[in-house]
Amino acid sequence: MEAETETVVSVAMEMEQREIINNVMCLLTDPDGTPLGAPMYLPQNAGPQQLQRIVNKLLNNEEKLPYAFYISDEELLVPLATYLQKNKVSVEKALPIVCQPQAVFRIRPVNRCSATISGHGEAVLTVAFSPDGRQLASGSGDTTVRFWDIGTQTPLYTCTGHKNWVLCIAWSPDGKYLVSGSKSGELQCWDPHTGKSLSNPLTGHKQWITGISWEPIHLNAPCRRFVSASKDGDARIWDITLKKCVIVLSGHTLAVTCVKWGGDGVIYTGSQDCTIKVWETTQGKLIRELKGHGHWVNSLALSTEYVLRTGAFDHTGKQCSSPEEMKQVALERYNKMRGNAPERLVSGSDDFTMFLWEPFVSKHPKTRMTGHQQLVNHVYFSPDGQWVASASFDKSVKLWNGTTGKFVAAFRGHVGPVYQISWSADSRLLLSGSKDSTLKVWDIRTRKLKQDLPGHADEVFSVDWSPDGEKVASGGKDKVLKLWMG
């Protein structure tokens, strides 16, 4: 009898051991590293689909949401066992798996040029879609701003009033205004529905405008205030209703090259003096200085940029009936995107490096991002905040983890400096425009070139992927605007 009991016990123990061998202790976390629960044993044959079910259960999601799973920045596309064998991962401690919510909708990759629209008399220097993706504007060396009818793919309005090249344009997050800044330092505000100027030129800057950013609509509706940056070393806050400058942000010792109005209500300015300054916006007081770069700061990106740009507009296309409702919807979208983590900032510089900052947490960078062999011209967070992409004069585009700043992949294929990048709304595709006259679409999951888009006759200065994901616009030295569709 005793022997029998012993056999049963040893068989049970053996089974238990086998069970343990066949299970992997995993710790499921959100993108910011916060655990979704205690570490748990998962069967080795569990793959992304089983993990989807577990996460939706853990989070009590009424609607089943799609997730992607990452183990040290590599997407898990196979069962755990296959991954562990291939990567020879030790399973002595809990395996961290990052659960990244995916956009419910999917964007089709653009693959053909649907229109080449001439009209500008000089190079197209900047293009931008409206927050709902239904309108398109461009600024050119011919001193005009143009609005284009996307439906008929023809010119809509030509806006004259600038005396010099139009270097930058910015839509208000409610889509009601477009502001443009020129090489002679003046700003103009336009009504996109009529193409008419809403006031005399806004003057005050002594040199050319390098950037424009609007106050987020979840902080103030209807949209009234925007900030401009200039080569003269100042940034200025303007009120569109008062039609004048209300605050001057002075303190940089050289040109201000880029500006962002953050979702937490502060303004970030990057400068040729190698610093980034953080300002509050009621009196224009300097809150803190972010130091670390050894050369000019060229570009700033915010982790919340996509929701700040689109405000109350999302992929469903539903309309708000009042500014109050817009503010409310935008606030919900912003809070959902931000989660519990602070807003993150990335800076790209002439010193070939980038820094990842959490300005509300510390004045020291979270990490230094190195690898580019030439100046970093443009940095941009993906709409979900998971990735940072950087474009460089070294002809490459690089991909980094948006939370840790860790290098993930390099996209090579351009044969000239890369000027500008733009993301698809679902964060699955990345677009780049280059001096080599091509646009390229990169697949984030496979880390490969998805589509090569030749067609421009010369350098591509500006690219934008519409926030609704349906089309891409590009402009460059050949004076034409091109629209690309999926």
Side-chain angles (χ1 to χ4, degrees), residues 1-16:
M1 192 73 192
E2 250 172 51
E4 237 172 76
T5 313
E6 264 178 39
T7 316
V8 170
V9 169
S10 65
V11 168
M13 280 169 68
E14 205 175 302
M15 280 175 73
E16 208 169 280

Side-chain angles (χ1 to χ4, degrees), residues 30-34 73 98-101 259-269 276 278 288 290 299-308 334-348 354-362 364-367 369 379-389 399-406 423 427:
D30 72 8
D32 298 307
T34 311
D73 283 337
V98 177
C99 310
Q100 176 72 40
V259 62
K260 295 285 173 201
W261 199 315
D264 294 332
V266 300
I267 287 172
Y268 304 96
T269 51
I276 297 148
V278 187
R288 61 175 29 160
L290 310 176
S299 179
L300 292 174
L302 285 169
S303 55
T304 51
E305 204 148 328
Y306 178 77
V307 289
L308 297 183
Y334 174 74
N335 287 336
K336 190 176 169 197
M337 156 71 224
R338 221 194 85 166
N340 304 320
E343 199 166 46
R344 299 183 301 281
L345 180 77
V346 162
S347 53
M354 298 147 65
F355 279 114
L356 174 64
W357 313 83
E358 284 177 352
F360 271 76
V361 178
S362 166
H364 301 292
K366 196 169 170 182
T367 190
M369 300 149 80
V379 289
Y380 212 164
F381 269 94
S382 59
D384 62 8
Q386 185 186 359
W387 311 107
V388 170
L399 185 70
W400 316 78
N401 180 306
T403 311
T404 63
K406 213 172 106 201
W423 285 91
S427 304

Side-chain angles (χ1 to χ4, degrees), residues 313-361:
F313 300 104
D314 65 11
H315 67 282
T316 61
K318 67 172 192 299
Q319 300 288 317
C320 294
S321 55
S322 66
E324 294 70 45
E325 191 190 346
M326 268 195 156
K327 185 177 177 178
Q328 194 49 45
V329 172
L331 182 62
E332 282 163 22
R333 290 185 74 222
Y334 174 74
N335 287 336
K336 190 176 169 197
M337 156 71 224
R338 221 194 85 166
N340 304 320
E343 199 166 46
R344 299 183 301 281
L345 180 77
V346 162
S347 53
S349 163
D350 261 29
D351 65 11
F352 306 179
T353 75
M354 298 147 65
F355 279 114
L356 174 64
W357 313 83
E358 284 177 352
F360 271 76
V361 178

Side-chain angles (χ1 to χ4, degrees), residues 8-138:
V8 170
V9 169
S10 65
V11 168
M13 280 169 68
E14 205 175 302
M15 280 175 73
E16 208 169 280
Q17 274 173 322
R18 212 178 299 150
E19 281 288 281
I20 290 170
I21 291 164
N22 285 336
N23 284 340
V24 189
M25 169 111 87
C26 298
L27 179 65
L28 300 173
T29 75
D30 72 8
D32 298 307
T34 311
L36 303 184
M40 60 175 87
Y41 281 104
L42 296 177
Q44 284 208 7
N45 62 359
Q49 275 165 322
Q50 291 84 349
L51 288 171
Q52 299 258 24
R53 286 203 291 273
I54 292 166
V55 171
N56 275 299
K57 229 187 194 86
L58 265 179
L59 298 175
N60 299 321
N61 291 336
E62 282 166 30
E63 279 178 73
K64 299 289 171 265
L65 292 175
Y67 286 85
F69 301 94
Y70 292 86
I71 302 174
S72 53
D73 283 337
E74 281 295 322
E75 188 173 355
L76 181 71
L77 301 164
V78 293
L80 283 167
T82 318
Y83 176 86
L84 297 172
Q85 280 159 3
K86 185 181 159 221
N87 294 281
K88 302 198 172 33
V89 175
S90 130
V91 285
E92 281 164 21
K93 50 182 195 292
L95 181 70
I97 301 178
V98 177
C99 310
Q100 176 72 40
Q102 297 289 284
V104 185
F105 55 95
R106 282 195 91 92
I107 300 298
R108 283 202 308 267
V110 289
N111 54 21
R112 62 193 169 86
C113 178
S114 64
T116 300
I117 323 172
S118 47
H120 278 300
E122 284 296 333
V124 180
L125 303 176
T126 175
V127 296
F129 283 100
S130 59
D132 63 2
R134 292 180 186 173
Q135 293 171 280
L136 176 65
S138 59

